[in-house]
Amino acid sequence: MLEYRNVEARYGGFTALRDITFSVAPGERVAIFGHNGAGKTTLLRCGMGDVDEVSGSVTYNGEAIITGSVYRNARRGIGFVPQGHNVFRDLNVAQNLKMAGLLHDHAYIEEIYRLFPVLLERRAQIAGSLSGGQQQMLAVAMALMTRPTILMLDEPTTGLAPIIVQDMFRSLMEINRTTGTALVLVEQNVAAALRIVERAIVLKTGGIIFDGPSAELARQEDMWRWF
Ligand SMILES: Nc1ncnc2c1ncn2[C@@H]1O[C@H](COP(=O)(O)OP(=O)(O)OP(=O)(O)O)[C@@H](O)[C@H]1O
Ligand SMILES: [Mg+2]
């Protein structure tokens, strides 16, 4: 379980998050929404130990997240797909997956190809020449190669056509269902994301203004004013 308790994050004199308390249960699917600059990326980075000035506590399965050591946190089972396409553009698909899974069982690559058939089809193609959607699939697949028990994704569908967004969400649901990996999904595609998560959190200027079942958020008549 990933647990944030009274977390405050600062960049120099600027407070990006304040009094953040919530937790993500094993296998749970949670979406994080909010305006540009609300603190969504910062929230995920705190979970990876990637923000230097943090107070309060972030723990994973009861142990503190190690500030400044993303790699060690990742090895404990926290996967992260950063904002923007993060693939090795000059390597092909299969090489990208092998790089991402260096410490792990290479046989797992077959499982990844089952989850993302398009990557199997394109395994010899240079990643830089994949479409935007395919590159995002590859970025998610690379994070999965570390066999995370929780996967945090920072706007994985930005810039993708609605039909490709649906493909991405279908793959995420499949990952969640077959591996039990919890999902923490930062999204701008609010309506679509609400259909695949159980719970939603809304951030506004660094604070949580909603945390509850996704169906409850979808029912809020003034929900759209928050975005
Ligand atoms: N490295 C940094 N140094 C200084 N300020 C930062 C830094 N990173 C983020 N911030 C500030 O912290 C606030 C929250 O940023 P964050 O990236 O977490 O927002 P976000 O909700 O992910 O926004 P977006 O939807 O645009 O990705 C913003 O005001 C941003 O300018
Ligand atoms: Mg962001």
Side-chain angles (χ1 to χ4, degrees):
M1 182 165 80
L2 183 66
E3 187 167 20
Y4 289 61
R5 211 175 289 165
N6 306 114
V7 171
E8 185 170 303
R10 287 170 305 279
Y11 297 109
F14 178 76
T15 301
L17 292 177
R18 55 193 154 70
D19 203 23
I20 299 291
T21 297
F22 74 99
S23 56
V24 181
E28 195 177 17
R29 300 185 303 277
V30 183
I32 314 271
F33 302 126
H35 284 295
N36 293 120
K40 305 178 298 294
T41 296
T42 304
L43 186 85
L44 295 191
R45 289 178 61 210
C46 286
M48 290 302 294
D50 195 26
V51 179
D52 294 334
E53 298 172 77
V54 193
S55 60
S57 78
V58 186
T59 57
Y60 190 56
N61 294 335
E63 281 179 52
I65 291 295
I66 309 150
T67 299
S69 189
V70 171
Y71 170 77
R72 277 156 75 199
N73 297 317
R75 290 204 70 180
R76 283 164 51 188
I78 305 174
F80 184 40
V81 182
Q83 213 164 355
H85 301 153
N86 283 277
V87 299
F88 301 106
R89 297 181 60 82
D90 300 331
L91 300 182
N92 72 27
V93 167
Q95 288 163 336
N96 265 274
L97 291 171
K98 281 188 187 136
M99 287 290 282
L102 274 184
L103 298 169
H104 294 262
D105 180 7
H106 278 191
Y108 195 56
I109 223 166
E110 300 306 324
E111 179 65 14
I112 297 289
Y113 284 142
R114 203 186 57 72
L115 285 164
F116 296 100
V118 67
L119 296 181
L120 177 63
E121 206 176 282
R122 306 261 161 189
R123 65 190 178 283
Q125 187 172 331
I126 294 297
S129 69
L130 295 171
S131 74
Q134 291 164 350
Q135 284 189 36
Q136 283 296 67
M137 299 276 182
L138 179 58
V140 173
M142 285 168 73
L144 284 176
M145 285 300 289
T146 64
R147 297 206 192 212
T149 46
I150 184 167
L151 182 59
M152 302 197 286
L153 304 110
D154 198 352
E155 304 196 18
T157 66
T158 299
L160 306 186
I163 186 146
I164 311 295
V165 171
Q166 292 311 320
D167 281 351
M168 172 67 85
F169 284 173
R170 209 171 300 123
S171 299
L172 292 178
M173 286 295 276
E174 176 80 356
I175 289 159
N176 175 256
R177 195 179 60 78
T178 59
T179 66
T181 305
L183 301 176
V184 182
L185 176 64
V186 168
E187 260 302 330
Q188 300 285 355
N189 290 304
V190 176
L194 278 177
R195 286 196 285 273
I196 68 157
V197 296
E198 304 157 293
R199 189 166 136 224
I201 290 173
V202 181
L203 284 181
K204 189 175 183 185
T205 53
I208 292 179
I209 56 168
F210 177 92
D211 179 356
S214 44
E216 190 183 317
L217 181 62
R219 270 198 308 271
Q220 301 258 340
E221 287 193 357
D222 58 352
M223 175 185 92
W224 298 106
R225 283 195 319 193
W226 294 348
F227 306 112

